[in-house]
Amino acid sequence: MYFAALLARTEDGWEASDTELDDVETLSDLADLAREASPDEDTVLVLIEQEDAWFGVVRVDGEEDPRIYVSDAAAAARSSYGEILLTDELLGRDPGDDDDLDALDLDGTEDGESDDEDEDGAEGGGGAAASAEAVPHGPVGDAEVLDDLGVSEKELRSMSGDAVGEIAEALGVSDVLETVR
């Protein structure tokens, strides 16, 4: 089960809206959706959460590039919403790589490659196994994405479970978020 919400900072405080991500295919689409939520180019946070598996924060400040934090890249890579956030840049890959997250064989082997080869540490010739290794278990991205809003890197990294609720509470907008849950 997923939950996604937009929190837009306005002159009157934070405004929340439930957001549907079905039509969002890229990070650029997501950033555009966030910018639409704030005509004055104020800060917009997109909070995405998959029950107890991972959460992501995308921060859009006007026309600046989005800042992204994902709590567990490997878990997010198995999610269509997570794939949107896991850009080549975020994962430290060259944008020219032909591999994409749709091609990942998440058991760590390539088609036709036995599990024994992988366990022996044999390197495949690239492809899906190499890509799977490029998606780390654990957090990726800008852990300081919410520092100036009162959520430190340490606090963000320690969040689990209802991380979106914890973030909302830290921002003082729990009531606003609950209106869209």
Side-chain angles (χ1 to χ4, degrees), residues 43-55:
T43 298
V44 179
L45 302 176
V46 181
L47 306 175
I48 303 172
E49 177 177 78
Q50 181 183 3
E51 284 182 3
D52 295 329
W54 67 276
F55 70 93

Side-chain angles (χ1 to χ4, degrees), residues 39-125:
D40 294 331
E41 297 189 5
D42 290 321
T43 298
V44 179
L45 302 176
V46 181
L47 306 175
I48 303 172
E49 177 177 78
Q50 181 183 3
E51 284 182 3
D52 295 329
W54 67 276
F55 70 93
V57 177
V58 178
R59 179 177 178 159
V60 178
D61 292 301
E63 291 301 317
E64 291 181 26
D65 288 341
R67 295 171 58 193
I68 305 164
Y69 174 80
V70 176
S71 66
D72 186 337
R78 294 186 293 267
S79 155
S80 58
Y81 296 137
E83 290 177 351
I84 294 169
L85 306 182
L86 297 175
T87 63
D88 287 334
E89 181 181 343
L90 192 69
L91 295 174
R93 294 191 295 219
D94 291 331
D97 287 352
D98 292 318
D99 300 327
D100 73 7
L101 294 173
D102 292 334
L104 287 180
D105 182 5
L106 296 174
D107 69 1
T109 63
E110 293 181 6
D111 290 341
E113 181 181 327
S114 74
D115 288 330
D116 294 336
E117 268 185 299
D118 206 50
E119 289 172 9
D120 292 339
E123 300 264 338

